[in-house]
Amino acid sequence: MAVNEGAAARVRHAMVDAPGSLGARMRARRWELVEQSFPDLATMSVLDLGGTVESWRRAPVRPKDVTVLNLFEPGESDDASLLPVTGDACRAREALAAAGAPTSYDVVFSNSLLEHVGGHAQRVALAAEVHALAPRFWVQTPYRYFPVEPHWLFPGLQFLPMAARARLAARWPLAHSRPESRSAAMSEVQWTELVGVAELRAYFPGARVHHERVAGVTKSLVAVGGGAS
């Protein structure tokens, strides 16, 4: 598949990252919903599972303090109210305790992590950590049945056989990043498993499930627990 890498990057930027893009508009609406769900957020301590320090620096909302737990690169911070911790979100309490960080918060926040933790058993473990760490939570994940797979921006990729997904992931120019090899592409698609409403409700029983929509079609789901109605 011959591609112009620069042109593909510009297309993805225009669709996802640029000011005024669909992605930017959805992120703005998502932050508005966070504020509506937790109107006292400025007085709350937040644990972000799977996020980055930089995303909170750019956020239009600022809790009292934020701890960011990420398996690979939470980022760096010299701000006492923004604490990065490296660790596994599915064993969050253990990782936080080992780092000397708090193990109790007002809100657990997780954005686009649930689909990447490695299958049902790991999603159950992640949900258990969310419930144990705070009385309130916000867990967002892309919706399995949206027509365009959001990580690769390829229509219906999530429904293809694994081998076909890996071949496309290795070559599709609109992916967030191009894998270095076919085996790396296979690993990426194996680590990306989108879920539907039934699964999300099973992991977070009693939560309100908010549908983020594009042109009336659900693109992402958010499970909100303990927030304002």
Side-chain angles (χ1 to χ4, degrees):
M1 183 184 296
V3 296
N4 183 317
E5 297 287 350
R10 288 192 294 273
V11 170
R12 184 177 179 95
H13 179 75
M15 294 173 64
V16 178
D17 300 319
S21 66
L22 174 61
R25 294 196 303 272
M26 291 201 70
R27 287 190 290 273
R29 292 204 302 266
R30 190 173 297 162
W31 283 120
E32 290 174 2
L33 184 61
V34 169
E35 290 186 290
Q36 292 169 11
S37 300
F38 307 108
D40 298 327
L41 190 65
T43 68
M44 294 179 172
S45 60
V46 172
L47 171 65
D48 182 347
L49 298 178
T52 64
V53 164
E54 185 58 33
S55 68
W56 284 99
R57 288 198 183 103
R58 297 194 307 264
V61 302
R62 180 53 66 94
K64 180 184 69 174
D65 56 72
V66 181
T67 298
V68 177
L69 178 66
N70 189 299
L71 184 59
F72 299 112
E73 297 179 353
E76 298 181 357
S77 173
D78 54 9
D79 182 345
S81 69
L82 194 53
L83 174 66
V85 176
T86 301
D88 184 353
C90 297
R91 303 173 65 180
R93 284 170 289 177
E94 179 181 323
L96 292 164
T103 55
S104 179
Y105 298 84
D106 296 315
V107 180
V108 171
F109 181 93
S110 182
N111 192 64
S112 295
L113 172 68
L114 187 69
E115 72 273 20
H116 292 303
V117 295
H120 170 65
Q122 289 290 89
R123 291 192 291 270
V124 169
L126 178 66
E129 295 296 315
V130 171
H131 291 303
L133 284 159
R136 307 171 186 86
F137 57 83
W138 164 283
V139 178
Q140 181 273 349
T141 189
Y143 182 47
R144 174 171 172 74
Y145 300 102
F146 186 68
V148 178
E149 204 290 333
H151 302 90
W152 285 274
L153 299 182
F154 189 92
L157 181 71
Q158 65 270 40
F159 306 120
L160 296 178
M162 190 66 70
R165 291 169 60 191
R167 285 195 297 271
L168 280 163
R171 304 174 69 187
W172 184 242
L174 296 183
H176 181 267
S177 60
R178 297 286 294 279
E180 296 179 355
S181 64
R182 181 64 62 84
S183 62
M186 174 61 79
S187 178
E188 287 187 14
V189 298
Q190 287 178 307
W191 277 100
T192 305
E193 187 174 3
L194 306 183
V195 304
V197 176
E199 295 102 315
L200 193 65
R201 290 192 186 280
Y203 298 132
F204 301 100
R208 292 182 289 110
V209 176
H210 174 77
H211 291 241
E212 295 182 336
R213 303 181 192 274
V214 173
V217 180
T218 298
K219 182 180 184 296
S220 298
L221 304 170
V222 185
V224 182
S229 300

